[in-house]
Amino acid sequence: MSGEIRVTGVRRVYEIGAGGSLTALDDVDLTVETGTFVSVIGPSGCGKSTLLRAVAGLETPDAGQITVGGLTPERAAADKMLGLVPQTPALLPWLSVLKNVSLPKKVNRRKGRTTADMVDLLSKAGLGDVMHKLPSQISGGMQQRAAIVRAFGLHPDVLLMDEPFSALDEFTREALQEQLLDLWDELKATVLFITHSVSEAVRLSDRIVVMAPRPGRITDVIDIDLPRPRGQALLKTPEFHAYEDLVRDRLRGAFHYANAIAS
Ligand code: ADP
Ligand code: MG
């Protein structure tokens, strides 16, 4: 199984009226090796979502190339190699949690999981007691967990997540990070994860990619050499804080640039 993401020289320019244009991605090169967890962090508007959508095959670059497991993103998506978790959990309101997460299984006959698998995944994600409820009957954090379980239910080679925890409070967020790491450990997917949170990026990632805006580009790549599993105790170690400081320093450059342009 190969789920390597390879982005080479990708450029995406939006026309913004009156003949103006905005370079959302400029000469972006990125390789996410099979089974690794890579986070993208950067100020708002630096092209993170554009990059993720391009990898998902939802956006076509104006220049450059993207492959997922050696295929075009469109092909990879058609082959159900990709799981996408958007910022807000798009669950179907009329279906129970269990039915929502079981849906991809019907769509994806190639390697779909059984209902028993999904019950097991839901229990692991702390949703065992609510799986027969409707989305509206559970909290936002639980809905987001269900959306993650649903994406994992596809057993994707590649999981793309666009700030999936940004709407959640800090405690829920930390619990979900832990569950995401557990699921990832079990399923060994390649993950491209977008976040605003430095500590979240450090905790989750093998590698952090820092982006800056105008043009949207990669300014830094930082390898996170911390042991796994990364439980709560790790968050209090000097090594963890040193990585947070390092990422924050690199991000400061990107933000400085964003502000200089805005003023
Ligand atoms: P991020 O996710 O890092 O906040 P985005 O990828 O959403 O950034 O956007 C990058 C830049 O491209 C922003 O300046 C945004 O306004 C612009 N942009 C995104 N999508 C479009 C679009 N469909 N049309 C025009 N401009 C867009
Ligand atoms: Mg975004």
Side-chain angles (χ1 to χ4, degrees):
M1 177 198 88
S2 167
E4 184 179 82
I5 302 170
R6 198 177 276 264
V7 176
T8 320
V10 162
R11 181 175 171 80
R12 180 74 176 105
V13 179
Y14 292 115
E15 307 304 326
I16 50 172
S21 65
L22 188 147
T23 306
L25 296 174
D26 187 32
D27 200 19
V28 170
D29 289 318
L30 173 67
T31 299
V32 183
E33 279 134 40
T34 301
T36 62
F37 198 120
V38 172
S39 290
V40 179
I41 195 165
S44 149
C46 69
K48 303 181 296 294
S49 294
T50 304
L51 176 62
L52 198 89
R53 285 202 308 271
V55 173
L58 302 172
E59 183 107 43
T60 310
D62 297 299
Q65 256 205 337
I66 300 178
T67 59
V68 179
L71 307 171
T72 64
E74 292 76 9
R75 183 75 233 170
D79 281 2
K80 308 288 178 210
M81 284 174 66
L82 301 175
L84 186 61
V85 181
Q87 201 161 337
T88 46
L91 301 174
L92 298 174
W94 58 87
L95 291 181
S96 72
V97 169
L98 178 59
K99 290 207 166 112
N100 259 287
V101 301
S102 303
L103 212 56
K105 164 174 78 82
K106 300 205 175 96
V107 178
N108 175 19
R109 292 177 201 282
R110 183 161 72 95
K111 52 188 171 181
R113 304 178 148 240
T114 65
T115 301
D117 289 336
M118 296 318 296
V119 167
D120 185 48
L121 277 181
L122 283 172
S123 303
K124 284 202 172 98
L127 296 170
D129 293 338
V130 300
M131 63 186 159
H132 299 299
K133 296 200 173 193
L134 295 173
S136 61
Q137 296 171 315
I138 63 176
S139 70
M142 285 178 165
Q143 290 179 33
Q144 194 53 288
R145 259 182 273 176
I148 292 167
V149 167
R150 181 175 57 180
F152 271 112
L154 277 166
H155 205 155
D157 301 289
V158 174
L159 195 58
L160 306 172
M161 306 177 87
D162 195 350
E163 303 195 35
F165 304 151
S166 62
L168 307 174
D169 66 79
E170 189 153 341
F171 287 115
T172 310
R173 185 183 259 256
E174 279 183 12
L176 283 201
Q177 290 166 2
E178 199 148 322
Q179 280 158 1
L180 173 61
L181 286 176
D182 284 349
L183 283 172
W184 175 63
D185 192 48
E186 189 189 316
L187 302 170
K188 307 287 180 214
T190 307
V191 181
L192 187 59
F193 186 94
I194 293 177
T195 180
H196 260 107
S197 158
V198 171
S199 65
E200 179 165 282
V202 172
R203 182 180 191 187
L204 297 175
S205 313
D206 296 310
R207 184 171 289 166
I208 297 175
V209 173
V210 180
M211 291 183 72
R214 308 205 181 190
R217 65 200 188 280
I218 293 175
T219 52
D220 257 300
V221 177
I222 302 160
D223 285 319
I224 306 298
D225 191 12
L226 290 170
R228 293 187 189 270
R230 296 182 183 166
Q232 288 292 332
L234 180 81
L235 308 185
K236 300 190 183 97
T237 63
E239 292 79 10
F240 188 86
H241 292 307
Y243 271 117
E244 282 184 317
D245 289 343
L246 175 67
V247 174
R248 229 167 249 131
D249 273 349
R250 304 291 172 87
L251 253 183
R252 207 162 282 134
F255 269 99
H256 179 75
Y257 195 76
N259 291 334
I261 277 183
S263 61

Coordinates of all heavy atoms in Angstrom, one line a residue, residues 81-119:
M81 N -9.2 6.3 -2.1 CA -7.9 6.3 -1.4 C -7.9 7.4 -0.4 O -7.1 7.4 0.6 CB -6.7 6.4 -2.3 CG -6.4 5.2 -3.1 SD -5.0 5.5 -4.2 CE -3.7 5.9 -3.1
L82 N -8.8 8.4 -0.6 CA -8.7 9.6 0.2 C -9.9 9.7 1.2 O -11.0 9.4 0.9 CB -8.8 10.9 -0.7 CG -7.8 11.0 -1.8 CD1 -8.1 12.2 -2.6 CD2 -6.4 11.2 -1.1
G83 N -9.6 10.1 2.4 CA -10.6 10.5 3.4 C -10.4 11.9 3.7 O -9.3 12.4 3.9
L84 N -11.5 12.7 3.7 CA -11.5 14.1 4.0 C -12.3 14.5 5.2 O -13.5 14.1 5.3 CB -12.0 14.8 2.7 CG -12.0 16.3 2.6 CD1 -10.5 16.8 2.7 CD2 -12.6 16.8 1.3
V85 N -11.7 15.2 6.1 CA -12.4 15.6 7.3 C -12.4 17.2 7.3 O -11.4 17.8 7.5 CB -11.8 15.2 8.6 CG1 -12.6 15.7 9.8 CG2 -11.7 13.7 8.7
P86 N -13.6 17.8 7.0 CA -13.7 19.2 6.9 C -13.7 19.9 8.2 O -13.8 19.2 9.3 CB -14.9 19.5 6.1 CG -15.8 18.3 6.4 CD -14.9 17.1 6.7
Q87 N -13.7 21.2 8.2 CA -13.6 21.9 9.5 C -14.9 21.7 10.3 O -14.8 21.7 11.5 CB -13.5 23.4 9.1 CG -12.9 24.2 10.3 CD -12.4 25.6 9.8 OE1 -12.0 25.7 8.6 NE2 -12.3 26.5 10.7
T88 N -16.1 21.7 9.6 CA -17.3 21.4 10.4 C -17.8 20.0 9.9 O -17.8 19.7 8.8 CB -18.4 22.4 10.1 OG1 -18.4 22.7 8.7 CG2 -18.1 23.7 10.8
P89 N -18.2 19.2 10.9 CA -18.5 17.8 10.6 C -19.8 17.7 9.8 O -20.9 18.1 10.4 CB -18.7 17.2 12.0 CG -19.0 18.3 12.9 CD -18.4 19.5 12.3
A90 N -19.8 17.3 8.6 CA -21.0 17.3 7.8 C -21.7 15.9 7.9 O -21.6 15.1 7.0 CB -20.6 17.5 6.3
L91 N -22.3 15.7 9.1 CA -23.1 14.5 9.3 C -24.5 14.6 8.7 O -25.0 15.7 8.7 CB -23.1 14.1 10.7 CG -21.8 13.9 11.5 CD1 -22.0 13.7 13.0 CD2 -21.0 12.8 10.9
L92 N -25.1 13.6 8.3 CA -26.4 13.6 7.8 C -27.4 13.6 9.0 O -27.3 12.7 9.8 CB -26.8 12.4 6.9 CG -25.9 12.4 5.6 CD1 -26.1 11.1 4.8 CD2 -26.1 13.6 4.7
P93 N -28.2 14.7 9.1 CA -28.9 14.9 10.4 C -30.0 13.8 10.7 O -30.4 13.6 11.8 CB -29.6 16.3 10.2 CG -29.5 16.6 8.8 CD -28.4 15.8 8.2
W94 N -30.5 13.1 9.6 CA -31.6 12.2 9.8 C -31.1 10.8 10.1 O -31.9 9.8 10.2 CB -32.5 12.2 8.6 CG -31.8 11.9 7.3 CD1 -31.6 10.7 6.8 CD2 -31.2 12.8 6.4 NE1 -30.9 10.8 5.6 CE2 -30.6 12.1 5.3 CE3 -31.1 14.2 6.4 CZ2 -30.0 12.7 4.3 CZ3 -30.4 14.8 5.3 CH2 -29.9 14.1 4.3
L95 N -29.7 10.6 10.1 CA -29.2 9.3 10.3 C -28.5 9.2 11.7 O -27.9 10.2 12.1 CB -28.2 8.9 9.2 CG -28.7 8.6 7.8 CD1 -27.5 8.2 6.9 CD2 -29.8 7.5 7.8
S96 N -28.6 8.1 12.3 CA -27.9 7.9 13.6 C -26.4 8.0 13.4 O -25.9 7.9 12.2 CB -28.2 6.5 14.2 OG -27.6 5.5 13.4
V97 N -25.7 8.2 14.5 CA -24.2 8.2 14.4 C -23.7 7.0 13.7 O -22.8 7.1 12.8 CB -23.6 8.4 15.8 CG1 -22.1 8.2 15.8 CG2 -24.0 9.8 16.4
L98 N -24.2 5.8 14.1 CA -23.7 4.6 13.6 C -23.9 4.5 12.1 O -23.1 4.1 11.3 CB -24.3 3.4 14.3 CG -23.9 2.0 13.7 CD1 -22.4 1.8 13.8 CD2 -24.6 0.9 14.5
K99 N -25.2 4.9 11.7 CA -25.5 4.9 10.2 C -24.6 5.9 9.4 O -24.2 5.6 8.3 CB -27.0 5.1 10.0 CG -27.8 4.0 10.5 CD -29.1 3.9 9.8 CE -29.8 2.5 10.1 NZ -31.0 2.7 10.9
N100 N -24.4 7.0 10.0 CA -23.5 8.0 9.4 C -22.1 7.5 9.1 O -21.6 7.6 8.0 CB -23.4 9.3 10.3 CG -24.3 10.4 9.8 OD1 -24.1 11.0 8.8 ND2 -25.4 10.7 10.6
V101 N -21.6 6.9 10.1 CA -20.2 6.4 9.9 C -20.1 5.1 9.1 O -19.1 4.8 8.5 CB -19.4 6.2 11.3 CG1 -19.4 7.5 12.1 CG2 -20.0 5.0 12.1
S102 N -21.2 4.4 9.0 CA -21.3 3.2 8.2 C -21.5 3.5 6.7 O -21.3 2.6 5.9 CB -22.4 2.2 8.7 OG -22.2 1.9 10.1
L103 N -21.9 4.7 6.4 CA -22.3 5.0 5.0 C -21.2 4.8 4.0 O -21.4 4.2 3.0 CB -22.7 6.5 5.0 CG -23.8 6.9 4.0 CD1 -25.0 6.0 4.2 CD2 -24.1 8.3 4.1
P104 N -19.9 5.2 4.3 CA -18.9 5.0 3.3 C -18.6 3.6 3.0 O -18.2 3.2 1.9 CB -17.6 5.6 4.0 CG -18.1 6.5 5.1 CD -19.5 6.0 5.5
K105 N -18.9 2.7 4.0 CA -18.7 1.3 3.8 C -19.6 0.8 2.6 O -19.1 0.0 1.8 CB -19.1 0.6 5.1 CG -19.4 -0.9 5.0 CD -19.7 -1.5 6.3 CE -21.1 -1.2 6.8 NZ -22.1 -2.1 6.3
K106 N -20.8 1.3 2.5 CA -21.6 0.9 1.4 C -21.1 1.5 0.0 O -21.2 0.9 -1.0 CB -23.1 1.4 1.6 CG -23.6 0.9 2.9 CD -25.1 0.8 2.9 CE -25.7 0.1 4.1 NZ -26.1 1.1 5.1
V107 N -20.6 2.7 0.2 CA -20.1 3.4 -1.0 C -18.9 2.8 -1.5 O -18.6 2.7 -2.7 CB -19.9 4.9 -0.7 CG1 -19.3 5.6 -1.9 CG2 -21.1 5.6 -0.2
N108 N -18.1 2.3 -0.6 CA -16.7 1.8 -0.9 C -16.7 0.3 -0.7 O -16.3 -0.2 0.4 CB -15.7 2.5 0.0 CG -14.3 1.9 -0.2 OD1 -14.0 1.3 -1.2 ND2 -13.5 2.2 0.8
R109 N -17.0 -0.4 -1.7 CA -17.0 -1.9 -1.6 C -15.6 -2.5 -1.6 O -15.4 -3.6 -1.2 CB -17.8 -2.5 -2.7 CG -19.3 -2.2 -2.6 CD -20.1 -2.7 -3.8 NE -21.3 -2.0 -3.9 CZ -22.4 -2.2 -3.1 NH1 -22.4 -3.0 -2.2 NH2 -23.5 -1.4 -3.3
R110 N -14.6 -1.7 -2.1 CA -13.3 -2.2 -2.3 C -12.7 -2.7 -0.9 O -12.2 -3.8 -0.8 CB -12.4 -1.2 -2.9 CG -11.0 -1.7 -3.1 CD -10.3 -0.8 -4.1 NE -9.9 0.5 -3.6 CZ -8.7 0.7 -3.1 NH1 -7.8 -0.2 -3.1 NH2 -8.4 1.9 -2.6
K111 N -12.8 -1.9 0.1 CA -12.2 -2.3 1.4 C -13.0 -1.7 2.5 O -12.4 -1.3 3.5 CB -10.7 -1.8 1.4 CG -10.6 -0.3 1.1 CD -9.1 0.1 1.0 CE -9.1 1.5 0.4 NZ -7.7 1.9 0.2
G112 N -14.3 -1.7 2.4 CA -15.1 -1.1 3.4 C -15.1 -2.0 4.6 O -14.7 -3.2 4.6
R113 N -15.4 -1.4 5.8 CA -15.4 -2.2 7.0 C -16.8 -2.7 7.3 O -17.8 -2.2 6.8 CB -14.9 -1.2 8.1 CG -13.6 -0.6 7.8 CD -13.1 0.3 8.8 NE -11.7 0.2 8.8 CZ -10.9 -0.2 9.8 NH1 -11.5 -0.4 11.0 NH2 -9.7 -0.3 9.7
T114 N -16.8 -3.7 8.2 CA -18.1 -4.2 8.6 C -18.7 -3.3 9.7 O -18.1 -2.5 10.2 CB -18.0 -5.6 9.2 OG1 -17.2 -5.5 10.4 CG2 -17.2 -6.5 8.2
T115 N -20.0 -3.5 9.9 CA -20.7 -2.7 10.9 C -20.0 -3.0 12.3 O -19.8 -2.1 13.1 CB -22.2 -3.1 11.0 OG1 -22.7 -2.8 9.7 CG2 -22.9 -2.2 12.0
A116 N -19.6 -4.2 12.5 CA -18.9 -4.5 13.7 C -17.6 -3.7 13.9 O -17.3 -3.2 15.0 CB -18.6 -6.0 13.8
D117 N -16.9 -3.5 12.8 CA -15.7 -2.7 12.8 C -16.0 -1.3 13.2 O -15.3 -0.7 14.0 CB -15.0 -2.6 11.4 CG -14.4 -3.9 11.0 OD1 -14.0 -4.7 11.9 OD2 -14.2 -4.2 9.8
M118 N -17.1 -0.8 12.6 CA -17.5 0.6 12.9 C -17.9 0.8 14.4 O -17.6 1.8 15.0 CB -18.6 1.1 12.0 CG -18.2 1.1 10.5 SD -16.6 1.7 10.1 CE -16.7 3.4 10.6
V119 N -18.6 -0.2 14.9 CA -19.0 -0.2 16.3 C -17.8 -0.1 17.2 O -17.7 0.7 18.1 CB -19.9 -1.4 16.7 CG1 -20.1 -1.5 18.2 CG2 -21.3 -1.2 16.0

